[in-house]
């Protein structure tokens, strides 16, 4: 991608049926990183995220939670907003599909499709997955009529529906793919979706009548607009619609970062809609795979797969999490989240390669110098810096964050090597004037290269580079600019005392953090001691009056009682209360008796019920009613 006059990047807008998880955080961090990179290049940049709030799925979630869809949407949309704030995401806009500015543009797009003669009324009979909010053909379904993504049974829908003539755009879309080889990236997804289009496009059902939580179809409010038509439009309603000023500036350089499960909607439905609406297509659909945990898809309901990005970031810092997610896998294939590799990369690449390089360089500098000396640039080191910039830039522009970081870390390792080979500690021991000069040159070149490489990491590690530049201030404005050749030698203004930016984490602390995160992610344990109301109501309890009490031979703790519970004959009850009460003290006492307990023999004596006592280990009293009741009164 050549330098552009603008850059527009979006995340999918997230459903408001559950809190953000690691998968959502990944897309958002990737978009944030590319936006930060383009801002550093001085390109007018817009980064939009938001929430997808309409549709059957949200209506059903709200009903299940005994709330209204709007209340649920308000609440969950806010959890996304606050998660992004906590994770240091710098989006320029947060769009919600329940906002009037969005609804207006959706109606406008609908009218454009209609004006093109591409909407007709029919009826839809077929399978629907509420989880995906998608219609399925028999052939698409997994065994047992299950949705291939959610592995849940799909439902049969039969209702009047408006249709969009998507089939009409098949050839135009194929041509667009052929003319724009980066329309979907990486390549594997491009090929997959192109062959899907070539296999034939069907018209698309674009309205529903069996629920109401959505944007009404213009002039036919018995129908609500299919949630994907509504949701996809967010990408242009956030620009003020097709007539908006931002649309003119940004749309031509628009990139949608999405997960592979929603590729068809973005690479087929959306471009067909835009073709019908007479609008240009986005520049590219950038597709990533799934994060798994223990190779299992992340799920809110399976404890081992619940990884909370916020708690990890809170304990370890936002940047290490960003670094791990973007460095561990290239954008495209699935990746397995693993706490050991997270800490492994933290220790080796952040704490050692970068953190330690900074620490030792600042310490040495402070030992040998009090002012920043003027030196000339080491041509080789400068060239390495420039190459790393070029490489990292090309990779960030291609959304290959992992490779961008790899190129940057190759430079960081070279700076470490440069110091090791030039041995400033040896030069410092020498009194020879040429060694003094060389010491200044080595130290300053190393610090310049560190400042340079820190600037290359800024899109991924914005908080850490700010810390680096607070210890080693650089010339005004440069911290937020992508480095260019003339900067080398003019960056570092002064050198302060080092404070570790990535403190080492000892094994015990690491184990404790992992244990804490895992415990946090486990769902609250279901209490195992609960009984249902039905179970409880099986217990029959009545008041009774003790008429006689005597000790049982050879049983220190037991008394044999005769209790009047309002029946023809008193009950014989054996109770373990001999250590708390003398038999004579019990006569006439009102107690509560479980009367439907199966009779049992205790020490050879039949017991026809149980009296209720109070106290933990030691019995303090017998349960009773505060007023005197006729024997046999029900206790409920
Ligand atoms: N609302 C739709 C998107 C509409 S965009 C016009 C939606 N929302 S979602 O909340 O279900 O998912 C949003 C994104 O999160 C998708 O890109 C999806 O791929 C991504 N992820 C969900 N789980 C994921 C992982 N386990 N790993 C990586 N990303 C995953 O779909």
């Amino acid at each position: 991608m050549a330098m552009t006059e603008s850059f527009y990047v979006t995340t999918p807008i997230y459903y408001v049926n559950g809190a953000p998880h690691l998968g959502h955080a990944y897309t958002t961090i990737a978009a944030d990183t590319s936006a930060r990179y383009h801002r550093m290049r001085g390109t007018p940049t817009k980064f939009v995220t938001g929430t997808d709030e309409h549709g059957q799925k949200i209506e059903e979630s709200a009903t299940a939670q005994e709330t209204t869809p709007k209340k649920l949407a308000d609440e969950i949309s806010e959890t996304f907003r606050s998660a992004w704030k906590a994770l240091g995401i710098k989006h320029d806009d947060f769009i919600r599909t329940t906002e009037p500015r969005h609804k207006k543009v959706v109606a406008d797009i609908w009218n454009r499709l209609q004006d093109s003669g591409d909407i007709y009324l029919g009826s839809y009979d077929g399978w629907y997955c509420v989880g995906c909010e998608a219609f399925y053909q028999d052939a698409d379904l997994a065994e047992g009529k299950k949705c291939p993504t959610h592995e849940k049974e799909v439902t049969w829908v039969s209702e009047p529906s408006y249709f969009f003539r998507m089939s009409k755009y098949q050839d135009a879309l194929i041509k667009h793919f052929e003319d724009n080889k980066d329309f979907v990236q990486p390549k594997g997804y491009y090929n997959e979706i192109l062959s899907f289009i070539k296999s034939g496009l069907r018209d698309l059902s674009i309205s529903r009548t069996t629920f109401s939580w959505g944007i009404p179809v213009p002039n036919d409010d018995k129908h609500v607009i299919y949630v994907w038509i509504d949701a996809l439009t967010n990408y242009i309603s956030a620009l003020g619609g097709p007539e908006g000023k931002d649309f003119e500036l940004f749309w031509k350089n628009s990139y949608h970062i999405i997960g592979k499960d929603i590729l068809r909607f973005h690479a087929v439905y959306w471009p067909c809609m835009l073709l019908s609406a007479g609008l240009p297509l986005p520049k590219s659909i950038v597709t990533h795979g799934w994060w798994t945990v223990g190779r299992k898809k992340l799920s809110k309901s399976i404890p081992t797969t619940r990884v909370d990005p916020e708690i990890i970031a809170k304990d370890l810092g936002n940047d290490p999490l960003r670094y791990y997610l973007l460095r561990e896998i290239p954008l495209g294939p699935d990746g397995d989240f693993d706490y050991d590799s997270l800490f492994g990369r933290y220790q080796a690449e952040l704490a050692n390669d970068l953190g330690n390089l900074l620490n030792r360089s600042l310490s040495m500098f402070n030992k040998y110098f009090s002012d920043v000396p003027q030196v000339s640039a080491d041509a080789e080191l400068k060239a390495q810096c420039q190459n790393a910039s070029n490489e990292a830039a090309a990779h960030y522009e291609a959304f290959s964050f992992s490779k961008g970081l790899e190129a940057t870390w190759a430079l960081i390792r070279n700076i470490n090597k440069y110091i090791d080979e030039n041995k400033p500690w040896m030069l410092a021991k020498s009194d020879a004037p040429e060694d003094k000069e060389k010491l200044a040159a080595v130290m300053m070149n190393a610090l310049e290269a560190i400042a340079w490489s820190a600037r290359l990491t800024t899109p991924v590690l914005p908080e850490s580079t700010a810390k680096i530049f607070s210890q080693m201030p650089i010339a005004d404005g440069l911290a937020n600019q992508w480095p260019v050749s003339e900067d080398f030698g003019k960056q570092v203004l002064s050198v302060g005392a080092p404070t570790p930016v990535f403190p080492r984490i000892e094994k015990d602390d690491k184990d404790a953090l992992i244990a804490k995160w895992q415990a946090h992610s486990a769902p609250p344990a279901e209490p195992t001691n609960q009984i249902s109301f039905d179970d409880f109501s099986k217990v029959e309890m009545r008041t009774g009056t003790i008429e006689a009490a005597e000790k049982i031979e050879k049983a220190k703790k037991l008394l044999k009682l005769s209790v009047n519970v309002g029946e023809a004959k008193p009950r014989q009850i054996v109770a373990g209360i001999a250590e708390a009460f003398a038999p004579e003290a019990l006569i006439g006492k009102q107690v509560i008796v479980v009367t439907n307990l199966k009779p049992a023999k205790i020490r050879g004596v039949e017991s026809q019920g149980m009296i209720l006592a109070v106290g933990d280990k030691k019995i303090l009293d017998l349960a009773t009613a505060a007023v005197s009741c006729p024997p046999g009164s029900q206790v409920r």
Side-chain angles (χ1 to χ4, degrees):
M1 189 172 82
M3 274 289 284
T4 55
E5 71 215 81
S6 66
F7 179 73
Y8 179 39
V9 65
T10 63
T11 71
I13 47 170
Y14 302 104
Y15 284 129
V16 287
N17 66 326
H21 62 53
L22 189 78
H24 305 136
Y26 176 61
T27 325
T28 312
I29 288 170
D32 184 64
T33 298
S34 56
R36 285 176 188 270
Y37 164 77
H38 286 275
R39 287 190 202 111
M40 285 181 84
R41 298 305 304 244
T43 309
T45 295
K46 194 165 173 107
F47 161 29
V48 175
T49 186
T51 41
D52 186 355
E53 306 184 1
H54 290 128
Q56 191 175 354
K57 175 172 168 137
I58 310 304
E59 192 175 280
E60 285 181 4
S61 295
T63 309
Q65 292 174 42
E66 295 177 358
T67 182
T68 65
K70 183 62 169 62
K71 275 199 195 131
L72 180 70
D74 286 346
E75 195 185 304
I76 306 235
S77 182
E78 197 47 45
T79 66
F80 276 92
R81 228 186 247 275
S82 74
W84 302 154
K85 186 160 182 239
L87 292 175
I89 302 294
K90 224 172 113 189
H91 46 79
D92 299 294
D93 199 350
F94 186 100
I95 186 142
R96 301 182 54 186
T97 54
T98 46
E99 289 176 87
R101 62 167 172 155
H102 170 74
K103 293 185 189 169
K104 209 171 86 208
V105 180
V106 173
D108 175 30
I109 292 292
W110 180 280
N111 291 332
R112 282 171 179 255
L113 267 47
Q114 192 149 45
D115 292 347
S116 300
D118 290 337
I119 294 183
Y120 61 92
L121 188 60
S123 86
Y124 179 78
D125 293 286
W127 300 111
Y128 194 77
C129 169
V130 180
C132 304
E133 295 280 19
F135 302 96
Y136 280 105
Q137 302 293 319
D138 274 306
D140 298 329
L141 297 176
E143 236 186 80
K145 296 268 177 278
K146 286 190 174 153
C147 147
T149 303
H150 291 88
E151 291 162 14
K152 280 204 188 123
E153 271 181 36
V154 289
T155 43
W156 183 259
V157 170
S158 179
E159 56 183 313
S161 171
Y162 284 98
F163 281 82
F164 168 52
R165 263 183 239 286
M166 197 155 74
S167 54
K168 181 172 149 188
Y169 294 98
Q170 175 168 341
D171 293 342
L173 189 56
I174 292 174
K175 180 158 185 338
H176 187 82
F177 267 75
E178 281 164 357
D179 293 346
N180 298 274
K181 300 283 187 211
D182 283 336
F183 183 58
V184 170
Q185 47 181 313
K187 203 78 221 146
Y189 293 116
Y190 171 97
N191 293 333
E192 177 193 313
I193 209 78
L194 181 57
S195 57
F196 169 77
I197 300 165
K198 285 183 173 166
S199 74
L201 294 187
R202 293 162 176 267
D203 290 353
L204 180 69
S205 163
I206 52 165
S207 73
R208 304 284 313 272
T209 52
T210 45
F211 64 94
S212 59
W213 180 238
I215 301 177
V217 165
N219 305 319
D220 190 352
D221 59 11
K222 284 193 292 305
H223 292 249
V224 293
I225 297 179
Y226 174 39
V227 65
W228 272 100
I229 299 284
D230 168 350
L232 289 160
T233 304
N234 93 85
Y235 299 133
I236 56 181
S237 53
L239 298 177
E243 265 87 45
K245 193 162 62 51
D246 272 0
F247 186 82
E248 199 186 319
L249 174 63
F250 287 112
W251 186 245
K252 51 184 175 286
N253 292 309
S254 50
Y255 295 82
H256 301 320
I257 302 187
I258 60 155
K260 64 179 182 182
D261 52 317
I262 55 173
L263 179 56
R264 244 180 232 189
F265 303 99
H266 283 82
V268 182
Y269 298 7
W270 182 223
C272 288
M273 281 169 65
L274 290 165
L275 287 170
S276 168
L279 295 170
L281 306 197
K283 190 78 163 254
S284 183
I285 316 290
V286 180
T287 314
H288 64 73
W290 290 96
W291 276 99
T292 56
V293 173
R295 308 255 162 236
K296 288 205 183 73
K297 207 169 103 185
L298 293 177
S299 154
K300 288 171 203 128
S301 51
I302 306 171
T304 50
T305 66
R306 286 161 42 119
V307 172
D308 180 356
E310 272 186 83
I311 185 167
I312 297 174
K314 196 156 171 256
D315 288 331
L316 202 60
N318 286 332
D319 287 359
L321 177 67
R322 290 168 75 96
Y323 180 81
Y324 170 75
L325 292 176
L326 297 179
R327 177 68 187 84
E328 183 75 357
I329 50 160
L331 194 131
D334 291 350
D336 197 49
F337 187 90
D338 176 63
Y339 290 124
D340 279 328
S341 352
L342 168 69
F343 280 100
R345 288 199 181 275
Y346 177 93
Q347 212 73 278
E349 291 155 36
L350 296 178
N352 289 354
D353 291 344
L354 176 58
N356 204 26
L357 168 66
L358 177 76
N359 268 6
R360 67 175 180 147
S361 305
L362 296 191
S363 310
M364 278 192 280
F365 183 93
N366 286 322
K367 215 153 121 195
Y368 311 141
F369 300 96
S370 46
D371 295 315
V372 170
Q374 286 302 309
V375 302
S376 48
D378 179 300
E380 198 186 323
L381 195 59
K382 182 175 170 179
Q384 284 172 359
C385 283
Q386 189 53 54
N387 288 342
S389 282
N390 297 345
E391 269 188 58
H395 292 310
Y396 285 155
E397 281 163 28
F399 302 90
S400 303
F401 306 108
S402 184
K403 285 193 180 151
L405 290 169
E406 221 174 284
T408 308
W409 254 255
L411 173 64
I412 290 170
R413 291 191 188 109
N414 271 332
I415 309 171
N416 271 311
K417 202 164 127 220
Y418 174 82
I419 295 177
D420 294 343
E421 284 174 358
N422 284 295
K423 300 188 175 50
W425 52 93
M426 296 300 285
L427 296 170
K429 283 186 188 150
S430 162
D431 288 329
E434 65 273 19
D435 284 342
K436 291 236 164 305
E437 232 171 79
K438 189 169 175 201
L439 176 65
V442 167
M443 285 313 306
M444 279 322 294
N445 272 286
L447 292 179
E448 281 290 319
I450 292 172
W452 185 285
S453 56
R455 290 166 70 194
L456 300 186
T457 68
T458 298
V460 180
L461 306 175
E463 293 174 7
S464 311
T465 49
K467 282 187 200 157
I468 293 175
F469 294 134
S470 73
Q471 297 175 30
M472 182 177 68
I474 61 170
D476 229 13
L478 289 190
N480 296 319
Q481 286 169 34
W482 191 253
V484 290
S485 145
E486 320 59 277
D487 297 346
F488 197 94
K490 300 198 189 108
Q491 302 165 99
V492 179
L493 294 180
S494 62
V495 179
T499 318
V501 176
F502 303 105
R504 281 193 69 78
I505 299 174
E506 300 308 330
K507 180 158 184 327
D508 286 354
D509 295 331
K510 168 189 147 181
D511 293 346
L513 281 175
I514 295 178
K516 176 180 164 193
W517 298 340
Q518 281 170 338
H520 165 87
S521 296
E526 285 273 333
T528 50
N529 61 345
Q530 284 184 346
I531 58 166
S532 67
F533 177 73
D534 283 351
D535 287 343
F536 174 72
S537 51
K538 286 182 194 150
V539 181
E540 224 177 78
M541 288 180 288
R542 297 187 181 278
T543 56
T545 307
I546 299 177
E547 293 180 338
E550 60 183 90
K551 291 197 162 160
I552 298 178
E553 224 176 294
K554 291 193 191 138
K556 242 181 32 209
K557 292 186 179 168
L558 300 181
L559 292 183
K560 184 169 87 177
L561 311 172
S562 176
V563 186
N564 175 2
V565 292
E567 295 166 342
K569 275 190 0 194
R571 299 261 187 133
Q572 172 173 294
I573 294 177
V574 178
I577 55 174
E579 284 173 339
F581 301 98
E584 53 281 13
L586 292 169
I587 310 299
K589 202 167 165 66
Q590 176 175 276
V591 290
I592 293 175
V593 183
V594 178
T595 48
N596 64 339
L597 205 61
K598 253 196 194 146
K601 278 205 168 159
I602 305 173
R603 295 289 179 102
V605 184
E606 185 175 88
S607 182
Q608 301 158 337
M610 188 176 81
I611 61 167
L612 299 187
V614 182
D616 293 327
K617 278 190 188 132
K618 209 170 146 218
I619 291 174
L620 304 172
D621 201 355
L622 298 180
T624 184
V627 292
S628 166
C629 320
S633 300
Q634 209 183 352
V635 178
R636 298 177 284 178

